Amino acid sequence: MGARNPSDSKLSRNRASLVHKARYALTHPGRVPAHLRRTARDAWLRAKYRGDHIGYYRAVMASDAARSPEAAVGGRPSHDRWLAIGQMQFDYLMEHGLRPDDRMLEIGCGNLRAGRLFIDHLEPGHYYGIDISPDILVEAKRTVVRYGLQDKLPHLTIADDLTFDFLPENHFTVVHAHSVFSHSPLEVIDQCLENVGRVLAPGGFFDFTFDRTEGREHHVLREDFYYRTETLVDLAASHGLRARFMDDWERRPHGQSKIRVTHPAPDRAAAGGPEPEHSPV
């Protein structure tokens, strides 16, 4: 099974349109009260954090984490779902050759839904997780304790932007962002792609998921953003990075799509040889 058909109604749907909202309300009446609460919260937070999406979404995370730390990192508040999504991320990177000696940066590490598995697999000190939410990082520390991962010495750090200016050059062999760009306006994604190449080691890769649309790009309540694949591929290219759509991720039971970003290898490409990849990808 390859990429989903672009004609799929889900990929052409504009969730910001009034027609979609009306139809959704009629077919899912039980979800209307929750959506109205989110709408009220959105209005308040947009007024409070005008022009500051990081501050806005940090407040969203604080609100969601107070209700349920597991719901705050995506999905409904189900521990089984939390475990399954974390396992899915881990299994995928294992299939793509994640090694214990890899040095991993996880952007938006949350409460270590997948991070706990990465930390356990990697050598001590090789996992670095960052998040914009202090509330969720407190939950991440609790996850470290709950799963007995203290000896792995994971780094957990709050961040207020995606410049990575406090991290060393050419250091991380794997950079990972799951369900981060699905909540980010284009300027935040642009900042990440502008700077991630500096910290990405030669031969390493940066995987990120995103909510994909084949129709009009849009957002819902400044919390959920939908992008065309070519928009993000072209944005990566504008910063001198190579990006490709990961068809094999589409086989997973997950609603988002995935793109992998690497440094280009112009000399090998010019010679007609294969580009170096993170073995055995």
Side-chain angles (χ1 to χ4, degrees), residues 70-139:
E70 292 173 353
V73 294
R76 298 174 186 173
S78 159
H79 185 64
D80 288 343
R81 181 65 175 165
W82 185 84
L83 292 171
I85 295 296
Q87 191 70 49
M88 188 188 307
Q89 297 172 60
F90 178 74
D91 291 346
Y92 183 81
L93 285 190
M94 287 296 291
E95 291 171 17
H96 282 249
L98 183 69
R99 304 182 303 260
D101 64 345
D102 273 315
R103 298 180 301 276
M104 183 177 192
L105 169 64
E106 185 162 34
I107 302 167
C109 63
N111 62 351
L112 303 182
R113 177 172 55 179
R116 65 185 178 84
L117 300 170
F118 296 138
I119 292 167
D120 189 48
H121 176 70
L122 297 170
E123 293 177 0
H126 280 224
Y127 175 90
Y128 207 114
I130 65 173
D131 205 287
I132 65 169
S133 170
D135 301 270
I136 211 67
L137 285 175
V138 169
E139 295 299 329

Side-chain angles (χ1 to χ4, degrees), residues 25 27 30 36 46 85 124 140 212 250 281:
T27 55
L36 292 176
R46 288 178 74 170
I85 295 296
R212 180 161 65 103
E250 299 293 299
V281 179

Side-chain angles (χ1 to χ4, degrees), residues 42 55 65 104 109 133 140 183 185 210 225 267 271:
D42 172 71
M104 183 177 192
C109 63
S133 170
H183 304 300
F210 68 105
F225 292 78
D267 292 339

Side-chain angles (χ1 to χ4, degrees), residues 105-108 175-181 206-209 258:
L105 169 64
E106 185 162 34
I107 302 167
V175 180
H176 186 250
H178 184 92
S179 294
V180 174
F181 289 175
F206 168 34
D207 276 9
F208 64 82
T209 62
K258 187 184 289 284

Side-chain angles (χ1 to χ4, degrees), residues 119 139 146 150 202 252:
I119 292 167
E139 295 299 329
R146 186 180 308 118
Q150 296 93 326
R252 267 72 180 179

